[in-house]
Amino acid sequence: MATDYYAVLGVRRDASQDEIKKAFRRLARELHPDVNPDPKTQERFKEINAAYEVLSDPQKKQVYDLGGDPLSANGGGGGGAGGFGAGGFGNFSDIMDAFFGNAAQRGPRSRTRRGQDAMIRLEIDLNEAAFGTTKDIQVDTAVVCTTCSGEGAAPGTSAQTCDMCRGRGEVSQVTRSFLGQVMTSRPCPQCQGFGTVVPTPCPECAGDGRIRSRRTLTVKIPAGVDNGTRIQLAGEGEVGPGGGPPGDLYVEIHELAHPVFQRRGDDLHCTVTIPMTAAALGTKCPLETLDGVEEIDIRPGTQSGQSVPLHGRGITHLRGGGRGDLIVHVEVITPSKLDPEQERLLRELAKLRGEERPLGQFQPGQQGLFSRLKDAFNGR
């Protein structure tokens, strides 16, 4: 009397493949020889392997349901029930699945896959980074082949089922091991696991379903971007093999150096140089900022190295409102050469200040002429 494989696995005759697989995994965990070494249990384990070998294969299952011998119809599989020798453990990958879960999706893999992300570098100036801008960029990426619409086959042809794996995308073979005869599966070498072959590839894309093309895109650059900021353009990357969905395009910002300002975060820094007399007397210095020309108020007695902040004249904050500051650093220039008249006037001023002394007569803590100009104009 023929073995009732459905009863062996404890499933209905109309059970789905998922129900059959779940039943097999549950029994395999209970009856595997490594878990239960009882000889009777080992015989039971062979039975569930034989049943699963038949019911998990659509062709063998069809032969079995029609009353035929599924093993002889498929060319047999060696001695023992279900095409396995004594101690055979069926499809080794399914045994591993029973204990460790299904590590990979079995069956034919799709020719259509998501495309890779792409990245390009975009140079902008400081003013564009501060206030934002819109740029047109050209990108060279893979797009869907217009000749075959991503199918990969020449016009008028189509992909055909692989005659080696019969559309399964994998082939099985039985090998001997210390466990007995073990069935292993691997991707079909003829169709590379796709389950179909393209006998006449598209001449435009050589069967890949995509071609290289140059496109022009408009990118909105938000205010406040900095070096290394990446802007994501979803779906504007590479189209995938087989005309698959495109990846994303990332635009990486590179800010060009400015001839006057140095950026530190959202603050800007610059340096103005003024003569010694202007630092002593005070002055107004015009400066071309990102917002136009503004006058910098240099207060009397300003020392070299001091700074004047202009609040809200820096870079727009990328997240949140407001702007950074513009920090103006003052550098005082001391004249290296004086004409006779200039020297005379300075000596008179030094005499009035009581600072005209021979060289070497200054004591520690005393101030010279130029260092005491600030006190003179501050009324000290």
Side-chain angles (χ1 to χ4, degrees):
M1 183 176 179
T3 303
D4 186 349
Y5 291 138
Y6 292 100
V8 170
L9 293 180
V11 297
R12 305 184 312 273
R13 297 190 68 84
D14 59 350
S16 66
Q17 286 295 321
D18 285 341
E19 291 174 330
I20 292 173
K21 181 174 289 188
K22 289 179 181 178
F24 168 73
R25 291 180 179 176
R26 176 177 54 80
L27 293 171
R29 284 193 293 265
E30 296 175 2
L31 304 174
H32 195 278
D34 290 343
V35 178
N36 195 336
D38 182 67
K40 293 183 179 180
T41 302
Q42 294 184 24
E43 290 299 323
R44 171 72 171 139
F45 186 71
K46 293 178 186 179
E47 292 179 1
I48 67 168
N49 272 282
Y52 182 68
E53 182 200 2
V54 173
L55 299 183
S56 64
D57 187 314
Q59 294 179 348
K60 294 180 181 179
K61 184 176 182 295
Q62 183 179 15
V63 173
Y64 175 74
D65 290 341
L66 293 175
D69 185 351
L71 300 178
S72 62
N74 199 40
F84 296 90
F89 297 128
N91 191 319
F92 185 71
S93 62
D94 286 321
I95 299 296
M96 297 300 290
D97 289 348
F99 286 91
F100 304 107
N102 190 5
Q105 181 65 38
R106 299 184 58 190
R109 58 191 181 102
S110 175
R111 291 184 178 273
T112 302
R113 301 193 300 278
R114 182 184 184 274
Q116 293 183 345
D117 296 337
M119 187 179 71
I120 63 171
R121 192 182 191 192
L122 178 62
E123 294 182 341
I124 62 174
D125 59 36
L126 181 63
N127 193 75
E128 292 171 329
F131 303 112
T133 186
T134 300
K135 290 278 191 178
D136 289 335
I137 59 174
Q138 289 187 332
V139 293
D140 293 318
T141 57
V143 298
V144 175
C145 176
T146 55
T147 302
C148 66
S149 300
E151 296 294 330
T157 67
S158 61
Q160 298 179 1
T161 301
C162 175
D163 57 7
M164 177 175 286
C165 66
R166 300 180 182 179
R168 296 179 60 188
E170 60 182 15
V171 292
S172 302
Q173 64 181 19
V174 178
T175 57
R176 283 188 170 277
S177 71
F178 68 94
L179 298 174
Q181 292 188 1
V182 178
M183 178 178 288
T184 58
S185 298
R186 60 187 178 88
C188 175
Q190 179 167 294
C191 67
Q192 309 303 317
F194 294 117
T196 59
V197 293
V198 181
T200 309
C202 172
E204 182 71 20
C205 64
D208 191 40
R210 55 183 182 168
I211 56 175
R212 305 294 299 185
S213 177
R214 174 168 292 183
R215 298 176 293 148
T216 300
L217 300 175
T218 299
V219 183
K220 183 178 180 181
I221 310 298
V225 295
D226 201 351
N227 266 325
T229 300
R230 291 185 179 181
I231 301 171
Q232 181 182 11
L233 302 180
E236 296 293 350
E238 300 274 350
V239 166
D248 298 333
L249 175 66
Y250 291 88
V251 179
E252 185 175 84
I253 299 300
H254 175 67
E255 185 181 298
L256 298 173
H258 193 273
V260 176
F261 301 114
Q262 297 82 45
R263 179 175 178 176
R264 301 175 190 171
D266 288 340
D267 293 336
L268 296 178
H269 295 256
C270 70
T271 300
V272 296
T273 57
I274 59 175
M276 174 192 67
T277 52
L281 299 172
T283 186
K284 290 186 179 295
C285 179
L287 176 65
E288 181 74 35
T289 71
L290 297 181
D291 300 277
V293 177
E294 296 195 22
E295 286 193 341
I296 310 301
D297 186 15
I298 307 297
R299 300 182 62 182
T302 296
Q303 301 296 301
S304 187
Q306 288 185 335
S307 61
V308 179
L310 296 181
H311 300 293
R313 293 294 185 269
I315 303 295
T316 303
H317 298 312
L318 182 61
R319 295 177 179 83
R323 295 170 58 183
D325 300 331
L326 171 59
I327 311 299
V328 181
H329 300 271
V330 179
E331 181 181 355
V332 179
I333 302 299
T334 302
S336 58
K337 292 183 180 181
L338 299 173
D339 60 32
E341 181 63 16
Q342 292 171 337
E343 183 176 352
R344 184 185 66 79
L345 291 173
L346 285 176
R347 288 189 181 279
E348 288 184 3
L349 178 60
K351 186 175 181 180
L352 291 173
R353 294 286 298 168
E355 296 173 339
E356 183 67 17
R357 298 180 183 180
L359 292 176
Q361 295 299 310
F362 286 100
Q363 300 298 320
Q366 292 180 319
Q367 295 178 315
L369 169 64
F370 302 126
S371 62
R372 295 178 63 183
L373 285 175
K374 178 180 179 182
D375 293 341
F377 287 98
N378 286 338
R380 297 180 185 174

